[in-house]
Amino acid sequence: MSDQNSSSMPELGEYEQKRAFNIERNNAKLRSLGLISVREEEESNAIAWGRRQQSHSPKTSKRKIVKKQDGSPARRSKRLRGQAPANGEVSSRIDTPSPIQEDVQERIMECRKARLEAANAYALTCAGCTSAENAKKNPTATYNHCLMRVRTMSEKALETRIKVIERAAGKCCVIKMAIFKCCLEEEGYATLAKMAHESLERLKALLPPTDS
């Protein structure tokens, strides 16, 4: 537990303290599952306890989704789908990543490693579980399932999914939203990932961890 009683911190009321405790405990849970990075955990806790002000960046306009004549969403670029350009294609993208892109990729790799470690640790204690039980508890299996779904959904459907998870606020909504945010980041949906992150912060304050 962080040093929330430090004299340098602003005094929080009972309601704010409850929200901050929920956020801190949820962050510890998500960090153990590899769903947020160390820096994300530290920043979220600092904002919750008033040690840091939350930044309010201006809203970015959503990119218009160009649809084909048959009404289906246009295919995303080969770069976003992790494919190299075909022979003869010239990419206008600058190969040197920006500091923001490097930071996102660093967090993705950190979280991916933690997810695998959590999955392996769980596998050692779950030899007698059924496949359904394993899929429910194994963070990597759940993450991979979500990632496959994200790759088949339109941007409009992905945005709707974020809103549905937050509105439902079910028992596992914090973990669901965290997984969804990670998948959006990994697939290059920066604006939608930011939207999921903001929803996640609200849900973390609302509910304690599911195993408490």
Side-chain angles (χ1 to χ4, degrees):
M1 198 69 68
S2 64
D3 185 16
Q4 64 268 22
N5 296 319
S6 173
S7 58
S8 62
M9 292 171 52
E11 187 173 339
L12 301 179
E14 183 178 351
Y15 175 73
E16 287 80 11
Q17 286 188 30
K18 181 179 179 180
R19 288 171 59 86
F21 272 120
N22 282 345
I23 290 172
E24 192 170 59
R25 292 162 66 196
N26 274 306
N27 282 335
K29 175 72 173 180
L30 296 177
R31 179 72 192 94
S32 72
L33 295 175
L35 296 175
I36 59 173
S37 65
V38 171
R39 198 180 80 176
E40 285 177 298
E41 179 182 16
E42 292 173 348
E43 289 180 350
S44 179
N45 288 344
I47 292 171
W49 289 105
R51 296 192 297 267
R52 183 180 304 177
Q53 292 294 320
Q54 186 169 10
S55 60
H56 296 282
S57 55
K59 292 184 178 180
T60 55
S61 59
K62 295 188 190 127
R63 180 170 60 84
K64 183 178 180 180
I65 304 171
V66 180
K67 294 191 175 182
K68 302 176 185 177
Q69 291 183 351
D70 61 2
S72 61
R75 293 166 58 192
R76 288 184 292 134
S77 68
K78 290 187 175 183
R79 177 178 64 81
L80 290 179
R81 288 183 282 126
Q83 299 178 9
N87 292 336
E89 287 185 358
V90 178
S91 173
S92 60
R93 179 174 62 91
I94 298 175
D95 291 330
T96 303
S98 69
I100 293 177
Q101 290 172 324
E102 289 179 341
D103 178 67
V104 170
Q105 287 303 313
E106 184 178 336
R107 286 190 286 110
I108 287 174
M109 295 305 296
E110 177 189 336
C111 291
R112 185 180 296 159
K113 180 181 178 182
R115 280 196 304 274
L116 289 173
E117 290 175 350
N120 290 335
Y122 174 75
L124 293 175
T125 61
C126 198
C129 288
T130 65
S131 58
E133 290 172 334
N134 187 60
K136 182 178 179 181
K137 296 182 180 180
N138 186 319
T140 301
T142 306
Y143 182 90
N144 289 339
H145 173 74
C146 181
L147 189 60
M148 286 189 291
R149 289 191 63 189
V150 166
R151 288 171 176 168
T152 63
M153 296 169 71
S154 69
E155 291 187 32
K156 183 63 177 177
L158 292 171
E159 181 180 350
T160 299
R161 180 62 179 160
I162 294 171
K163 295 176 181 178
V164 167
I165 295 174
E166 183 171 7
R167 279 200 302 263
K171 182 179 179 181
C172 300
C173 63
V174 171
I175 291 179
K176 282 183 180 179
M177 188 67 79
I179 291 174
F180 203 61
K181 177 190 75 75
C182 287
C183 292
L184 291 170
E185 285 181 338
E186 191 151 344
E187 287 299 292
Y189 290 109
T191 301
L192 289 171
K194 182 177 182 296
M195 185 185 302
H197 168 77
E198 292 169 350
S199 294
L200 175 62
E201 291 303 305
R202 291 190 290 268
L203 289 173
K204 284 190 293 189
L206 184 65
L207 298 168
T210 56
D211 60 353
S212 59

